[in-house]
Amino acid sequence: MLPYQMRTFDGYLDAYRRSMEDPDAFWADVAGHFNWHRKWDFVSRSDFDNAQFSWFGGAMLNITENCLDRHLEDKGNDIALCWEPNDPAKAVRKLSYRELHREVCRAAEMLRWQGICKGDRVCIYMGMVPELVIAMLACARIGAIHSVIFGGFSAQSIADRVEDAGARHLICCDGAFRGAKEIALKDIVDDALVRCPAVANVIVFRHTGCPVRMLEGRDHWWHEVMLNVDDQEALQHPAESVDSEDPLFILYTSGSTGKPKGVVHTCGGYMVYTAYSFANVFQYQPGQIHFCTADIGWVTGHSYIVYGPLCIGATSLMFEGVPTWPDAGRFWHVVDRHRVDILYTAPTAIRSLMSFGEGPLEGKDLSSLKVIGSVGEPINEEAWQWYHDQVGKGRCPVVDTWWQTETGGILISTLAGVTPQKPSFATLPLPGIFPVLLNERGQEVTALHENGYLCMAASWPGIIRTTYGNHERCRAAYFNQFPGYYFTGDGAYRDENGYYRITGRIDDVLNVSGHRLGTAEIENAINEHPEIVESAVVGFPHDIKGQGIYAYVVHTPDIAQPDALRNEINETIARFIGPFARADKIQFVSGLPKTRSGKIMRRILRKIAEGETQQMGDVTTLLDPGVVEEIALNRL
Ligand code: WTA
């Protein structure tokens, strides 16, 4: 058992009280269980007005020593990473802590050979292969800052991220397998890099064996540059000692305005928070196998496939494929094959698998499961119940974990088997986390069952430190709305037990199959089409995806074939963002409902998309109220 694991509800209450009475002492206690090269001068400093936060100030460390080296003596032969390939007929790969340590040391040495230094940004676009984890940890080993780009993003999205991060190095694969598809990742990278002349170095890991073009001088095969590495030297080369507040990674995520933001997390605080939250929420016990189905291109994969589990010496299972290929029993097959103890997935996957009925579960032994978890969006009661009954067989606690890219780790969740659960409630904050609900005027909402804006009244070790290259954007997005608080962008209410129920985003961020997308981002992409005058995008309830994308589009006169234009619009979105951002519904309209000052009244468009065509509320401020009627009449 880990010293900072709370095993009973009383233990939780006691820890919560301690964290409230003396937060610094509480966190110093937790942080004391990690390896530091130099201890901190102070535990925490927060300045909400300027969005300046530091944790374990002055401490020096290397996170990979905490993820790898410190387990070698006791757990060197335990499996650190277990890789399940896309194709169930292909070989599983297992890397013990000793093997993963060795591979990370070798890759770190290779990166040094490639001229990559502390503080350099390295973009990674690899799909779900073990070498992705090795590449991330190798960056962290030498103090370079990784920025992983989800494999579904388009060339344009890669270019935007590479440029924003000022990256001169990129690591990719030749291709990736995704269900029945093979995706030519390197080709997409080539397209992206036409726009990024600053990238001088591309390292390509061979995975699918598909043909690729290698640009002389810029592109190098991973296996070839690895030949430079002397294993002994690599193992002896000390890990870079970095400051607790040095950046560990940048991860881009969508906000309500403009381009995605590069959320920056730093080494010390992120390490402590991911390990602490992992150990407590999932109640991980030594020897258990943890299967998080997320893609490492999103924060869930960073925190709960890589850093959290490895920090506490767990066995982390990573899965290359998709839940429905070769059939809808794939997850259950993986659980059965590896005797998985903890399954952590998303409501969209649960709803999608639920739609296939119980058939795919038949013949699969799920008796190894102890804890099942959910993340990414509010889980509806029906999906919760199915997950609980059919997957957990009524005996596994369900942890509904609420958090965000910006929070680094889980903030509100039941602790498995410790906190009494309640379907579709994320329940209680972890010790050290102080949520409040505020109304528009910034006053606390104390009434039960009344919705408020979910905010945090104090900082925690995993809080966002900045948005890369533009600190003001970070301050304005999260710390401006309610002075003295971190603003999450989510709405929530509380029940009589103090349990939180998250009701979803209250800003212009959509959550489509757990993918976070800004409406402005999608509109900008649609507007790139030469025949589009303007557009407005809103979300609508979708049975499987949670939210679907509804686009209202004004096109130039004389369009002969609206269906062809619809396809072209979706191709444009795929080109500028990625195929996962395609619109489910595209309605052509003659105009958008705008106020006299030119602002689009999204409230109305949202109502129509949701199926409400009668009660529109006040439309008197509209420039042309007639347009609303037309839009409602032609609703798709
Ligand atoms: C939503 C994913 C309800 C929420 C870790 C948040 C949730 C956004 C839950 C962050 C949950 C995540 N219940 N809503 N358990 N978990 N969300 O940055 O709207 O990709 O703001 O991080 O997902 O998405 P992100």
Side-chain angles (χ1 to χ4, degrees):
M1 186 184 120
L2 288 153
Y4 48 86
Q5 218 170 23
M6 302 148 231
R7 303 283 286 150
T8 62
F9 195 58
D10 280 345
Y12 161 78
L13 292 173
D14 177 59
Y16 201 84
R17 186 185 43 74
R18 277 189 290 118
S19 78
M20 206 152 48
E21 283 167 7
D22 191 345
D24 278 3
F26 177 82
W27 288 115
D29 227 27
V30 178
H33 299 286
F34 294 79
N35 287 359
W36 305 86
H37 296 169
R38 179 183 187 279
K39 220 184 151 202
W40 50 88
D41 300 320
F42 61 90
V43 175
S44 74
R45 268 183 204 158
S46 306
D47 170 358
F48 277 79
D49 293 338
N50 297 302
Q52 304 277 5
F53 304 96
S54 30
W55 281 88
F56 313 112
M60 304 292 287
L61 77 155
N62 189 288
I63 193 170
T64 69
E65 290 177 342
N66 285 275
C67 289
L68 302 167
D69 305 58
R70 70 164 163 163
H71 306 310
L72 292 181
E73 203 172 311
D74 291 345
K75 298 174 181 267
N77 297 324
D78 289 6
I79 302 302
L81 199 63
C82 173
W83 179 75
E84 169 73 26
N86 178 61
D87 182 347
K90 287 207 180 137
V92 167
R93 278 176 67 188
K94 290 184 181 176
L95 290 150
S96 68
Y97 271 94
R98 195 173 317 285
E99 288 163 334
L100 185 59
H101 171 260
R102 179 170 167 273
E103 288 311 310
V104 169
C105 289
R106 293 179 64 225
E109 194 74 355
M110 179 267 279
L111 297 183
R112 290 186 192 105
W113 269 95
Q114 291 301 107
I116 302 176
C117 301
K118 175 166 186 258
D120 284 350
R121 276 80 58 216
V122 179
C123 285
I124 306 182
Y125 185 69
M126 297 182 85
M128 289 286 282
V129 289
E131 278 68 21
L132 162 60
V133 177
I134 293 167
M136 291 164 77
L137 294 171
C139 286
R141 189 91 178 164
I142 65 171
I145 304 165
H146 60 72
S147 183
V148 180
I149 303 171
F150 170 58
F153 276 119
S154 68
Q156 181 65 47
S157 294
I158 299 173
D160 290 346
R161 286 158 175 73
V162 165
E163 222 163 69
D164 189 85
R168 290 189 302 113
H169 309 274
L170 187 145
I171 308 176
C172 67
C173 281
D174 52 353
F177 297 115
R178 246 186 103 69
K181 282 188 253 166
E182 195 179 318
I183 300 153
L185 296 182
K186 175 63 165 60
D187 283 358
I188 302 173
V189 165
D190 287 342
D191 279 356
L193 295 190
V194 171
R195 290 161 248 208
C196 309
V199 174
N201 177 25
V202 177
I203 301 164
V204 188
F205 177 73
R206 184 181 277 151
H207 176 50
T208 61
C210 66
V212 298
R213 277 166 299 162
M214 298 293 278
L215 189 68
E216 179 95 31
R218 186 194 71 180
D219 300 352
H220 313 275
W221 284 108
W222 170 295
H223 58 265
E224 282 176 11
V225 281
M226 273 291 196
L227 294 174
N228 295 326
V229 173
D230 178 289
D231 286 10
Q232 275 320 308
E233 265 173 41
L235 284 169
Q236 275 155 19
H237 206 136
E240 189 76 26
S241 196
V242 304
D243 192 282
S244 176
E245 281 299 329
D246 277 336
L248 172 63
F249 66 83
I250 307 171
L251 187 58
Y252 285 83
T253 191
S254 298
S256 47
T257 50
K259 293 205 165 182
K261 304 182 270 257
V263 172
V264 175
H265 283 291
T266 57
C267 297
Y270 177 82
M271 167 180 79
V272 169
Y273 198 74
T274 50
Y276 160 84
S277 54
F278 177 74
N280 280 294
V281 169
F282 300 100
Q283 291 291 309
Y284 183 86
Q285 300 304 311
Q288 290 188 335
I289 296 178
H290 171 75
F291 174 22
C292 167
T293 71
D295 193 289
I296 294 179
W298 306 112
V299 76
T300 306
H302 279 61
S303 299
Y304 300 113
I305 296 178
V306 185
Y307 289 108
L310 295 180
C311 260
I312 68 167
T315 298
S316 185
L317 193 152
M318 96 186 256
F319 173 44
E320 184 189 24
V322 297
T324 49
W325 188 85
D327 58 55
R330 189 68 171 104
F331 276 1
W332 323 132
H333 169 250
V334 177
V335 170
D336 186 342
R337 181 183 207 174
H338 298 280
R339 311 295 303 143
V340 167
D341 296 271
I342 305 169
L343 173 68
Y344 189 31
T345 191
T348 184
I350 298 168
R351 287 192 299 266
S352 151
L353 296 175
M354 197 168 97
S355 73
F356 291 88
E358 277 77 67
L361 286 152
E362 274 162 28
K364 307 287 189 334
D365 180 2
L366 304 187
S367 63
S368 57
L369 286 176
K370 316 264 178 330
V371 174
I372 56 181
S374 160
V375 60
E377 54 174 309
I379 179 165
N380 47 308
E381 261 192 81
E382 195 193 352
W384 192 99
Q385 214 63 53
W386 188 84
Y387 195 33
H388 177 263
D389 297 348
Q390 302 299 332
V391 181
K393 311 291 181 201
R395 36 165 203 86
C396 302
V398 178
V399 288
D400 176 1
T401 64
W402 177 87
W403 60 298
Q404 315 176 291
T405 306
E406 294 86 344
T407 69
I410 298 163
L411 300 194
I412 304 180
S413 172
T414 42
L415 311 185
V418 169
T419 320
Q421 62 194 18
K422 177 169 176 179
S424 69
F425 278 72
T427 75
L428 298 173
L430 268 67
I433 303 300
F434 304 101
V436 285
L437 299 177
L438 300 179
N439 66 17
E440 249 119 60
R441 280 157 302 171
Q443 297 152 330
E444 250 189 273
V445 175
T446 46
L448 302 181
H449 304 283
E450 194 175 311
N451 239 300
Y453 298 115
L454 179 64
C455 297
M456 299 296 149
S459 134
W460 64 96
I463 194 173
I464 179 176
R465 295 307 197 275
T466 190
T467 44
Y468 192 79
N470 188 349
H471 188 66
E472 174 51 24
R473 212 176 153 196
C474 173
R475 202 194 59 76
Y478 308 106
F479 301 97
N480 203 31
Q481 202 111 348
F482 301 110
Y485 295 94
Y486 165 77
F487 173 49
T488 66
D490 278 335
Y493 65 82
R494 247 183 324 233
D495 76 357
E496 54 288 355
N497 299 315
Y499 278 18
Y500 284 85
R501 180 179 178 138
I502 314 296
T503 50
R505 302 289 306 194
I506 44 92
D507 54 8
D508 290 322
V509 172
L510 303 183
N511 197 325
V512 181
S513 300
H515 300 319
R516 217 170 123 174
L517 290 159
T519 53
E521 234 181 305
I522 307 171
E523 288 161 10
N524 291 342
I526 294 177
N527 298 347
E528 291 289 335
H529 191 286
E531 257 136 16
I532 301 309
V533 181
E534 61 176 341
S535 61
V537 165
V538 297
F540 71 99
H542 188 288
D543 284 350
I544 306 279
K545 299 180 178 181
Q547 266 187 314
I549 299 175
Y550 198 120
Y552 299 90
V553 174
V554 182
H555 59 65
T556 52
D558 309 323
I559 292 296
Q561 290 183 306
D563 280 340
L565 183 57
R566 279 201 181 89
N567 287 339
E568 284 176 27
I569 289 172
N570 266 331
E571 275 161 27
T572 310
I573 297 175
R575 197 163 73 244
F576 281 89
I577 305 176
F580 64 92
R582 285 198 168 104
D584 299 276
K585 296 185 181 181
I586 299 174
Q587 180 179 348
F588 295 119
V589 296
S590 65
L592 296 169
K594 287 187 185 166
T595 61
R596 289 191 181 85
S597 57
K599 219 176 136 225
I600 297 173
M601 292 270 275
R602 287 167 189 285
R603 175 177 59 80
I604 294 176
L605 295 175
R606 230 175 273 137
K607 280 203 155 171
I608 297 175
E610 285 164 7
E612 172 63 68
T613 50
Q614 303 299 322
Q615 304 294 318
M616 290 301 159
D618 184 13
V619 294
T620 52
T621 54
L622 287 184
L623 193 59
D624 172 14
V627 79
V628 175
E629 221 169 291
E630 175 217 296
I631 296 175
L633 199 67
N634 298 324
R635 173 180 180 269
L636 298 177

